[in-house]
Each structure stands twice: as structure tokens, then as C-alpha cells.
Amino acid sequence: MKKIIAADALKSAKKIFTDAKIDTPGLDAEVLLAEVLHTDRLSLYVHPEKILSDEEFSRFKNFVERRAKKIPVAYIVGRKEFFGMNFFVTPEVLIPRPDTEILVQFVIDALKNFPGAKIADIGTGSGAICISILKNLPGATAATVDISPGALEVAKRNAENLQLADRINFFPGNMFEPLAGKIFDCIVSNPPYIPTDEIKNLQPEVKTEPKIALDGGVDGLNFYRQLVKAAPDFLSPNGLIAFEIGIGQAEEVKKIILRDEKFCEIKILKDLSGIDRVIAARKK
Ligand code: SAM
Ligand code: GLN
């Protein structure tokens, strides 16, 4: 049988991805081949003549077929880098986005002089937000909630992998329901915020992510209304709320936060593309 070398495997995968209109055909081919060969992309450049074993070739073919069907690379390789750490991901969780690092960094900065801070992460998904915050705030602890039991299992595994399981409690359930009677210094959330009607227009890759992680109701703002209404009962005096927001939502979410006059010191932060991405406020 003809032996397949890395350079040829990459070339044919790149062509398949280009035909399938994948945005980054060369990069995706390299990442998937590096995964199959348990190496990094640089080694593929250094050893283009490397011969693939039959097993490696068949695994690579399987990866390429799945990617051509618009399954995200992160689901195929089972992990995504976020805030300098590797998070295990499955199709039960939203793949953590680089934009969400803005929210994480804001909370770390806001709490860094507050040893022992108690944090609640509502809709934790892979646990990326709360795990990244705790990694950088040694005395802090967190309670995380998700309505999806499958997502919570992924978050638990990430907390164990990243040595934080002893500082995080995991609660299955709807929003604040499992946290009755508890008080936090900060409530953080990246809730589902896509308006229901826009979900059908999302990129095919995003449509492979759980709908329950994306659908924010008719105007996309359902979760902000629920979060803001309930949050004061779960916050210490001066407690912080910090949420990720979607494109064009800053003004509406600001109105929701100001409506009951329970919050002050509203801050809006932009992401690297200049889009308002985080909104935060303090309990009065
Ligand atoms: N925090 C993760 C991140 O930033 O990558 C995931 C955010 S994802 C946009 C929203 C998460 O909220 C999903 O994991 C979803 O399962 C969860 N969720 C949806 N509805 C919920 C509800 N009613 N109560 C609790 N969690 C919910
Ligand atoms: N940022 C995600 C996207 O654009 C949406 C995540 C969310 O609804 N919070 O696909």
C-alpha cells in the first residue's frame, strides 16, 4: 500500500476544507494532523516527510470528514485553550471564546485586593470563567450553576484537571434556585444572549453548540432580566455583578440594571474588536 506522508495528508485535507468553505483550511488541517501525531504544528513543518501509520491515517481521515461537516476543531480534539489553560470540551458545552477573557480579567482585577472573595458563576458551561478567575485569585471560592447536567460534568472534570475542585461547588439547576440562602461578593455570568430568531442565521459551527447555551429569548435579554432581578438577594453590600453581553446589547442591559435603582457604578468594557462586551455594576 502507498505510504502517506504528512505533507500530502495536509495538502489533501486543506483542499477538502477549502471546498467545504472552512474559514481557516490550512490551520485546521495542521491542528488536526498534529493532534493525530501527538505533536505540534511546528514539527509538521520540520518533518513534512513523516510517514503516517495506517492507524494515524485513518484517524486523520475521520477528523477531516467531521471538520468538513462543520464540527468545530475544539469538539474534534476535545479541548480549547482559554486564559492560558487547556479546557476539556464536549458538544454539551459552549466552546469558550477569546472575548470572554475580558470578563475574566475584569473580575480578577476587581477582586484582587479582596482575599477570600466568594463568587457565583451562573451558566458555567465548561467552567472556563470561574476556573480562570480562581486560578488567579488564590483565596477565592466559587459556586457554579448550570441547568445542563452534562455541562456541569465537563466543568467538574476541568476543575479536577486544573487542581481547583476543592474551591468550587457545582449546582445543577435553574439560575439562582440552587443557591437559596447563600451570599456572594461577585456574581459573574456569560448567559445565553442570542435572540431566538437569529440562531438560524449563525455560522454552521456555532449551530453545533448547545442551543440552551445560546438562546436568550425573543430579544436575547431574558437572562439579564432574571439575573438583575434576583442578584441583589444573593450579594453582599457593594457586591459586584459582571456579565458578558452581545453586540449592541450594552444600552438595553444598562437600562435593565438601572431600572430598580439597586445598582450603581455601571461600567462597560469593550473587546479587542471595539465591541461592548462586558457590563458590570455594584450593589448599592
Ligand atoms: N460560562 C461558559 C462560557 O462562558 O464559556 C458557558 C456560557 S454559555 C453562553 C451559557 C450557559 O448557561 C450554558 O452552559 C447553558 O447550559 C447555561 N444555562 C442556560 N440556561 C440556564 C438556566 N436557566 N440556568 C442555569 N444555566 C443555564
Ligand atoms: N459569543 C457567543 C457567540 O457569538 C454567544 C454566547 C452567548 O450566547 N453567551 O456565538
Side-chain angles (χ1 to χ4, degrees):
M1 205 173 107
K2 184 176 174 292
K3 290 291 172 202
I4 307 287
I5 59 164
D8 291 344
L10 282 177
K11 203 170 146 201
S12 68
K14 191 173 168 187
K15 161 112 181 46
I16 291 169
F17 291 163
T18 306
D19 293 346
K21 301 198 166 36
I22 301 285
D23 281 346
T24 49
L27 174 67
D28 290 11
E30 288 167 16
V31 170
L32 294 175
L33 186 58
E35 178 73 14
V36 166
L37 299 179
H38 306 292
T39 183
D40 53 24
R41 285 172 53 220
L42 179 63
S43 310
L44 302 179
Y45 292 104
V46 181
H47 305 290
E49 304 293 324
K50 183 187 160 53
I51 294 170
L52 275 61
S53 70
D54 292 348
E55 201 222 318
E56 286 164 345
F57 181 55
S58 98
R59 209 163 153 235
F60 184 57
K61 250 175 69 178
N62 171 279
F63 280 11
V64 171
E65 278 163 21
R66 284 158 69 200
R67 182 68 192 103
K69 288 184 189 143
K70 305 293 166 83
I71 297 176
V73 170
Y75 286 154
I76 297 173
V77 302
R79 67 174 181 281
K80 175 76 184 176
E81 193 190 322
F82 179 84
F83 220 76
M85 287 176 281
N86 266 325
F87 286 85
F88 165 64
V89 293
T90 73
E92 305 249 32
V93 298
L94 185 96
I95 299 165
R97 307 287 203 267
D99 290 336
T100 305
E101 295 182 347
I102 310 276
L103 175 63
V104 168
Q105 189 63 57
F106 172 79
V107 173
I108 293 170
D109 292 343
L111 298 179
K112 66 174 182 275
N113 296 321
F114 197 153
K118 292 188 171 58
I119 298 162
D121 175 16
I122 308 295
T124 197
S126 63
I129 294 177
C130 127
I131 288 171
S132 305
I133 294 172
L134 291 199
K135 225 11 173 197
N136 290 277
L137 292 177
T141 55
T144 64
V145 181
D146 208 291
I147 199 157
S148 154
L152 221 48
E153 287 308 312
V154 172
K156 273 186 200 162
R157 181 157 156 188
N158 279 318
E160 278 158 20
N161 289 348
L162 296 162
Q163 282 85 44
L164 283 170
D166 56 338
R167 287 201 274 143
I168 306 181
N169 284 314
F170 301 88
F171 298 92
N174 180 20
M175 304 296 282
F176 289 97
E177 268 170 29
L179 303 180
K182 296 187 168 37
I183 296 291
F184 301 94
D185 304 302
C186 174
I187 293 167
V188 65
S189 184
N190 171 18
Y193 57 60
I194 312 275
T196 306
D197 268 357
E198 286 178 23
I199 293 200
K200 60 179 184 305
N201 306 324
L202 293 171
Q203 272 188 310
E205 280 84 351
V206 182
K207 284 199 235 171
T208 69
E209 297 186 87
K211 187 159 184 279
I212 201 170
L214 299 169
D215 189 345
V218 175
D219 62 357
L221 304 174
N222 271 2
F223 287 89
Y224 300 106
R225 283 186 279 268
Q226 292 181 56
L227 284 163
V228 170
K229 187 153 185 273
D233 292 340
F234 294 88
L235 277 174
S236 54
N238 289 317
L240 187 69
I241 51 173
F243 309 142
E244 178 167 319
I245 50 176
I247 294 186
Q249 292 179 329
E251 277 314 304
E252 287 305 314
V253 178
K254 185 174 172 182
K255 276 189 211 155
I256 293 171
I257 294 176
L258 290 175
R259 197 157 50 206
D260 288 342
E261 301 186 1
K262 300 234 168 110
F263 291 97
C264 57
E265 277 186 51
I266 296 232
K267 288 200 175 90
I268 295 171
L269 279 81
K270 292 187 190 303
D271 65 20
L272 298 175
S273 323
I275 294 165
D276 291 334
R277 186 56 66 191
V278 169
I279 192 158
R282 282 204 182 269
K283 182 174 156 178
K284 276 187 184 168

